[in-house]
Amino acid sequence: MSVRSIALGSVVVCGLGVGVGACEPAAPCTVTENADGSASISCPDGSSATVAPGTNGVDGTNGSNGSTGGDGTNGTNGTDGTDGVDGTDGVDGADGVDGTDGLTCVIQTDVAGDRSKECSDGSSEHVFIGELTPVDLNLPIDGSRNTIVADFTGDGIDDAFQAQGATLSNAQISTDRLFVGDGRLGFTQALGTGLTDDGFSIFATAADFDGDGALDVFVSKQARPSRVYDNNGGLFTDTGVSYRRAYSSGVTGDIDGDGDIDLVGCAGVEDEIVLLRNVGGGLVEEPAPGFTADCNPVAMNDVDGDGDLDVMVGSNDLHLLVNDGTGSFSVVAVDLAVDRIFSLSAVDVDGDGRQDMVAGLANRNGVLPAEGIAVWRNTSTGGTASFERILQPGVASFAGSEHGTGDLDDDGDLDIVIRARGAANVFFNDGTGLFEEVAVFPITNTGCGSAPEHRSPDRWRS
């Protein structure tokens, strides 16, 4: 039997249970449930009633759902949202700004001479402090055609390889030489290096041609075959492969995307650019088709931004060898309105990610104009090569023919050193390709041949 209360006129019928509403035990009534679900009620006062089954009065209990409305009081939790105002305590975090009062920075100098500012908030930046100081490397220059500064012995310290021609003083022949570095800008000539040929060197460059991790050396000879020396920790072995052309300059890189290092050389006598492809660790000569102009300086970089290495060739003007990615080149003449390019670098001077150009200029008879070094911004678009001269309003003269580029002040951009007659001029870059002269160092005879080549990563280019 279910518990229910039913109203019959003025009579309240109480269901089973106790303490329900106005039900009083003084007037008990008898409730009998019938088989059809109805209920018969008989009371002591003689009244009676029959209640039909399924009376909806039971649904009246739904009224208790009204208490659910009490959940509305949960809305007062919204006032707890004012705790968000407590979030203004975050303003107290501004005390951290006060903490900057305690910020301290110190200048650190590592063993390589690189300087950086390290601060207590974890920030750091490269800085340039003090003055540039010329250092005498005590390397002999008599008869030296060019010098390669790189780690040839595998100890992490730069050494120096010199390609030797006839000496200036008495025209006697000397062999190529290796000088071992001590890490403090001191060099000592190494003996027993395997470099026993009889000089006549006119150009040399270094790269790991055989992929063993050591820098090998390609040496070009005058009136004698050029050759490659395999390097094993500073001990050199002639590979036995000779090349008939005499190369006055050259650059190395993977021109055909096969993972090994090739060489692009300027054969000055033949006036041709030659590709020396690396095949199984050996270089194979292959003249670049379509190039017939005079050549001397060459530079290599991704000039058109398509992911492969292109070649710049200095001549009476600029010639660009555009690579298709396989080492096949098309020759594009770029009119820079100059007489002759004497030295050449393909580097990013303005920080836009594209390879610009720094060139040493001369008249056709070799006489240097008042502005010997010039800078061009790479403005190539849509596969069309073009360059725009960057005027240097703050530079009275870029006089000189040979140059090198590198980040001398550790500020993330490339500076220029120019070798002029009797001096080395240093120009700092402001990051946009505009340069300011900061130092001039008198120099004595630097020998004949090209400027030093530096092979340590990101430190110096020439």
Side-chain angles (χ1 to χ4, degrees), residues 82-103:
T82 60
D83 291 342
V85 177
D86 294 339
T88 59
D89 291 342
V91 177
D92 294 340
D95 291 343
V97 177
D98 296 337
T100 59
D101 293 340
L103 182 65

Side-chain angles (χ1 to χ4, degrees), residues 209 217-229 238-247 263 270 274-279 281-286:
F209 295 116
V217 182
F218 176 90
V219 181
S220 180
K221 301 287 182 176
Q222 185 175 15
R224 300 185 181 217
S226 301
R227 63 190 68 188
V228 175
Y229 290 104
D238 190 338
T239 60
V241 180
S242 61
Y243 306 89
R244 67 175 183 82
R245 293 175 176 83
Y247 295 94
L263 188 150
E270 294 86 355
V274 181
L275 312 178
L276 290 93
R277 292 185 187 272
N278 192 329
V279 180
L283 301 178
V284 179
E285 290 179 305
E286 173 188 320

Side-chain angles (χ1 to χ4, degrees), residues 16 33 54 56 61 106 130 177-178 182 184 205 209 216 221 225 257 273 281 292 365 388-389 398:
L16 298 178
E33 287 195 352
N56 290 336
T61 59
V106 295
R177 298 179 286 195
L178 177 68
D182 61 7
R184 298 182 298 275
T205 188
F209 295 116
D216 310 306
K221 301 287 182 176
I273 289 293
T292 58
N365 61 3
E388 177 183 78
R389 182 81 169 262
F398 261 159

Side-chain angles (χ1 to χ4, degrees), residues 267-328:
V269 175
E270 294 86 355
D271 286 342
E272 63 180 353
I273 289 293
V274 181
L275 312 178
L276 290 93
R277 292 185 187 272
N278 192 329
V279 180
L283 301 178
V284 179
E285 290 179 305
E286 173 188 320
F291 187 90
T292 58
D294 180 23
C295 66
N296 184 22
V298 290
M300 181 185 293
N301 219 318
D302 182 12
V303 178
D304 56 5
D306 63 354
D308 53 43
L309 292 174
D310 309 300
V311 179
M312 287 180 170
V313 182
S315 182
N316 295 336
D317 219 318
L318 176 68
H319 295 266
L320 179 62
L321 277 62
V322 180
N323 193 348
D324 68 355
T326 68
S328 295

